[in-house]
Amino acid sequence: MKKSKRVITRRDFIRTGSYAAVGGLMGLPLLSYAADKKTQKSRAVLIRDNKILEPGGSLRKSNLEEIFDEAVTTLLDAEDPASAWRQLVQPTDIVGVKSNVWGPLPTPSHLEATIKKRLMAVGVKEQNIAIDDRGVRSNSVFKKSTALINVRPMRTHHWSGLGTLLKNYIMFVSTPWMYHGNACERLGAIWNKSHIKGKTRLNILVMLTPLFHGVGPHHYSRRYTWPYGGLIVSTDPVAADATGARIIQAKRHEFFGKDRPISPPPRHIEAADNKFDLGNSHPDRIDLIKLGWQKDILI
Amino acid sequence: MDFKAFMKNFHFATARISHCLAVLTLSICTVIMTQTADADSLKKLRARLPGQISGWKAEPEDRIFDPTTIFSYINGAAEVYKAYNMRHCLSRRYINPNGPPIILDIFDMGSSEDAYGVFTHDTDGEVMDVGQDARYRPGWLSFWKHRFFVSIFMEEETTAAEKAVKELGRAVAAQIPTKGSRPSILLLLPQEGLESESIHYMHHPIVLNYHFYLADENILNISSRTDAVLASYHREGQKALLLLVLYPKTENAVKSLTGFLKHYLPDADKTGAALLENGKCAAVRLKNRLLAVVLEADSRELAESLLKSVKHNPD
């Protein structure tokens, strides 16, 4: 153990109340520190549609496009989707869309296609757009990218507590396991690497059928997903993730009927705010706009 | 140096080199033999696995993963299996045109202690009589027997698939003839008030931090050379969480006690107890090479009583 470093222990978290609070932000320790530091709020849009999923669970594509456009337009105070996207990218940009292919709960391919359509509508050339996950490090478009769009579904995760937008960038490093310590607290460091820093224009956290609890080696059971029918969109990945985390926590509370914190606590969200200065995690610093279906919104 | 002295040194050096080479050769052979034995063990079991069960038929190709390739198969949780020294994992899919796929994963953990340990990583669920310990949760059956940890998972829950999963579990367990032993450190746990379903055996700090986040550094020096067990207690309406760590030598335990007191309980009194900020009590006691830590107890009396009732290690 390094002697010079101050050891952070559970007692530090107990002092801030993050292991004791019920109905608050269990699992997001030290958020109060972050709240004191920041002065500028982040905007996040949570949009839901109770008809986005067919009774059998398949996706209604037109509904998805509609809520996605409305969320992006609202987020950027734009008149229409085209002008919103013109705020995000230039026709000369080379754009990597960082998606997520995790088998049981991948990013919907129609959402990927919609993002590509919107980029091309701005004038970005098709050959300058790539959608990828595990191959981003060898993808020629990603290698020379000038802009990134980050999109993935929200789910619980064995080591990081939650598979978040922040965690989605772990494929940009050659040694992902180096970031697994202490519930993947250091994930934010990846966002400050030179080939990533400042490139992300938009973050889309897919909350259509989030996974709120994991079982087994493969960490998945359909029983622990539910038709939330939402998207969270923000230019601040921390704000989007923190909002999603609160919804997941509330769902766990509702489902299990007792305080059952996300395990392990998704420390990387707070650390992305407090240590790596990537955005706002505290609700007081998030201007959350809620659109669409409000029933059982859980936040 | 005269010739006689030179020859004496030469023979001495030659003997040492030969000895080192012999030790090296023996070590390499041991590693190769162990790996071969591991592969053989799983190979033998594989040959006995059912080809079909309750209408589900095994796909023609099984897949075998090692501690490196397992990451390509299990996203995220693979480190748990590595933390318990996984040797190989055999994965077989059972298919039924009228039902969801069933995935059988058999992890050869190398020892029954580690098979038990990885089983205790997740002990939620309904107790079942399969293997040496088993749990069933919706969609997932897990059990351990001998040096194997077995996971059977259905991609979607149906009544027929659940029946098939349980039958497959019993069939796999029946093909593992040997029983394994549980880690001996479990014998040191006090029995009164022990919630046996809460026991987690481990020898990696990431596993401790998963179940009870202690610190961002390994302040208790938990490693592959230590055995540790975490367990919950319930006595007379009060609760407590006890951690036992057995070190290879007393000096390791002393060093860990010092680190624990410095970083976690700097306010401990002379008995090793302190009141935590949440009103709970924590306390620590050294017994030869065993460190007993009450991480949280509802009262000081309970913490002290638990520490007092920790059994002495064989030293």
Side-chain angles (χ1 to χ4, degrees):
Chain A
M1 193 166 67
K2 291 169 201 162
K3 286 179 182 169
S4 55
K5 191 188 161 199
R6 181 183 170 260
V7 175
I8 305 290
T9 74
R10 185 185 192 88
R11 294 187 72 180
D12 294 307
F13 298 129
I14 296 173
R15 281 184 205 108
T16 66
S18 52
Y19 272 107
V22 174
L25 296 169
M26 296 82 69
L28 298 179
L30 301 181
L31 284 178
S32 55
Y33 291 180
D36 295 340
K37 279 187 0 178
K38 301 271 169 60
T39 52
Q40 199 174 350
K41 280 191 171 188
S42 297
R43 177 180 280 192
V45 174
L46 164 61
I47 190 162
R48 294 173 72 219
D49 179 352
N50 64 341
K51 295 201 169 59
I52 202 162
L53 298 166
E54 303 271 7
S58 58
L59 193 63
R60 284 196 176 108
K61 293 177 180 176
S62 58
N63 292 43
L64 179 64
E65 273 189 49
E66 210 171 282
I67 67 165
F68 178 55
D69 282 341
E70 190 180 345
V72 177
T73 307
T74 306
L75 178 75
L76 298 168
D77 285 329
E79 287 188 357
D80 51 54
S83 55
W85 280 90
R86 277 196 294 274
Q87 292 182 46
L88 295 170
V89 288
Q90 303 295 314
T92 51
D93 271 324
I94 300 166
V95 188
V97 179
K98 175 62 182 69
S99 190
N100 197 285
V101 297
W102 189 58
L105 203 58
T107 304
S109 56
H110 189 68
L111 184 55
E112 294 174 339
T114 305
I115 293 166
K116 187 175 177 180
K117 252 198 309 193
R118 298 294 174 267
L119 289 167
M120 289 174 69
V122 171
V124 180
K125 291 177 184 156
E126 186 169 14
Q127 66 267 29
N128 285 341
I129 302 170
I131 301 167
D132 206 338
D133 178 9
R134 292 176 185 174
V136 290
R137 293 184 63 251
S138 56
N139 186 307
S140 58
V141 171
F142 274 85
K143 277 183 177 173
K144 57 186 180 185
S145 64
T146 56
L148 294 170
I149 306 292
N150 186 15
V151 55
R152 70 158 298 158
M154 176 62 121
R155 67 174 181 98
T156 50
H157 189 275
H158 192 88
W159 292 112
S160 55
L162 289 171
T164 56
L165 290 160
L166 288 159
K167 188 170 187 308
N168 206 31
Y169 278 14
I170 200 162
M171 296 316 298
F172 283 112
V173 294
S174 58
T175 52
W177 56 91
M178 295 284 286
Y179 294 84
H180 281 173
N182 197 24
C184 303
E185 186 190 29
R186 291 179 55 248
L187 284 171
I190 296 168
W191 287 64
N192 285 331
K193 290 192 175 289
S194 59
H195 61 301
I196 304 295
K197 194 175 170 104
K199 283 188 185 176
T200 304
R201 307 292 170 82
L202 187 66
N203 300 280
I204 305 132
L205 190 61
V206 180
M207 300 284 291
L208 297 174
T209 56
L211 178 72
F212 62 90
H213 183 62
V215 292
H218 303 276
H219 199 85
Y220 181 81
S221 168
R222 192 169 288 187
R223 178 185 169 87
Y224 300 120
T225 64
W226 87 108
Y228 187 72
L231 297 174
I232 298 172
V233 176
S234 181
T235 54
D236 175 352
V238 187
D241 281 344
T243 304
R246 289 181 187 100
I247 294 167
I248 295 287
Q249 185 55 67
K251 181 64 186 175
R252 289 171 66 89
H253 191 83
E254 179 193 84
F255 183 88
F256 294 113
K258 61 179 180 181
D259 170 24
R260 189 151 174 180
I262 297 165
S263 179
R267 293 188 187 92
H268 66 278
I269 301 176
E270 178 275 332
D273 176 346
N274 197 32
K275 285 189 178 175
F276 301 106
D277 208 21
L278 297 175
N280 285 305
S281 61
H282 196 278
D284 291 350
R285 298 282 171 229
I286 300 169
D287 176 16
L288 179 63
I289 300 169
K290 300 173 195 173
L291 302 174
W293 184 34
Q294 297 293 306
K295 189 169 179 282
D296 302 324
I297 196 166
L298 297 171
I299 191 162
Chain B
M1 186 190 293
D2 61 18
F3 180 73
K4 204 173 168 184
F6 170 79
M7 285 308 288
K8 191 179 170 187
N9 284 345
F10 176 77
H11 285 305
F12 180 70
T14 310
R16 287 198 64 175
I17 290 166
S18 301
H19 176 74
C20 289
L21 281 172
V23 169
L24 185 64
T25 308
L26 187 65
S27 303
I28 291 168
C29 287
T30 306
V31 168
I32 292 169
M33 284 167 69
T34 307
Q35 286 178 347
T36 309
D38 291 345
D40 281 351
S41 179
L42 199 57
K43 200 175 167 183
K44 282 178 188 164
L45 177 58
R46 179 188 184 180
R48 298 194 297 265
L49 293 174
Q52 51 188 358
I53 198 117
S54 304
W56 271 259
K57 197 176 171 192
E59 284 189 338
E61 294 295 321
D62 293 336
R63 290 187 291 169
I64 306 276
F65 301 94
D66 64 25
T68 306
T69 57
I70 191 70
F71 285 93
S72 66
Y73 179 52
I74 298 175
N75 185 275
E79 274 191 61
V80 176
Y81 301 93
K82 279 198 79 176
Y84 287 99
N85 301 315
M86 181 206 119
R87 307 291 175 87
H88 289 95
C89 168
L90 180 151
S91 177
R92 173 177 287 191
R93 280 169 72 88
Y94 289 85
I95 302 297
N96 179 336
N98 303 313
I102 291 174
I103 293 110
L104 166 68
D105 293 319
I106 303 177
F107 295 84
D108 182 347
M109 306 305 297
S111 72
S112 59
E113 288 81 1
D114 278 334
Y116 169 81
V118 79
F119 171 80
T120 65
H121 188 69
D122 187 344
T123 50
D124 272 358
E126 169 199 341
V127 175
M128 279 194 67
D129 185 18
V130 178
Q132 292 188 247
D133 285 298
R135 295 289 182 279
Y136 182 79
R137 315 85 173 154
W140 182 42
L141 169 71
S142 68
F143 70 88
W144 76 281
K145 189 173 182 186
H146 185 36
R147 55 192 278 174
F148 300 105
F149 171 74
V150 180
S151 158
I152 309 175
F153 167 79
M154 66 186 98
E155 287 192 353
E156 208 172 307
E157 288 166 52
T158 66
T159 310
E162 181 180 331
K163 187 169 166 274
V165 160
K166 290 176 178 174
E167 271 187 38
L168 182 58
R170 283 188 278 268
V172 173
Q175 295 305 326
I176 305 170
T178 316
K179 278 195 171 186
S181 52
R182 288 174 174 75
S184 56
I185 191 172
L186 268 60
L187 301 171
L188 305 181
L189 287 169
Q191 289 304 299
E192 188 196 339
L194 171 63
E195 296 182 315
S196 58
E197 310 306 317
S198 72
I199 294 173
H200 301 289
Y201 167 74
M202 66 195 79
H203 38 73
H204 199 295
I206 62 169
V207 179
L208 174 62
N209 267 355
Y210 180 84
H211 294 296
F212 185 91
Y213 178 71
L214 186 67
D216 65 348
E217 296 279 349
N218 184 12
I219 58 175
L220 285 171
N221 301 307
I222 293 173
S223 74
S224 58
R225 296 176 66 232
T226 62
D227 273 347
V229 62
L230 180 71
S232 299
Y233 283 82
H234 199 162
R235 287 182 181 178
E236 295 171 0
Q238 293 193 323
K239 290 181 178 178
L241 192 61
L242 175 68
L243 175 72
L244 302 181
V245 189
L246 189 60
Y247 296 88
K249 293 178 181 171
T250 303
E251 51 259 44
N252 304 129
V254 172
K255 187 184 164 200
S256 299
L257 171 66
T258 308
F260 184 74
L261 288 171
K262 178 183 172 190
H263 296 295
Y264 197 73
L265 287 185
D267 47 346
D269 61 21
K270 61 184 178 185
T271 70
L275 184 67
L276 301 177
E277 291 77 2
N278 57 4
K280 311 266 185 196
C281 178
V284 59
R285 196 159 298 171
L286 184 68
K287 297 187 176 194
N288 300 326
R289 59 190 181 96
L290 179 73
L291 195 62
V293 186
V294 173
L295 292 165
E296 277 189 352
D298 283 347
S299 71
R300 186 185 175 113
E301 292 70 30
L302 176 57
E304 286 179 352
S305 150
L306 262 178
L307 289 179
K308 205 173 163 186
S309 55
V310 169
K311 296 171 186 173
H312 279 274
N313 56 301
D315 301 353

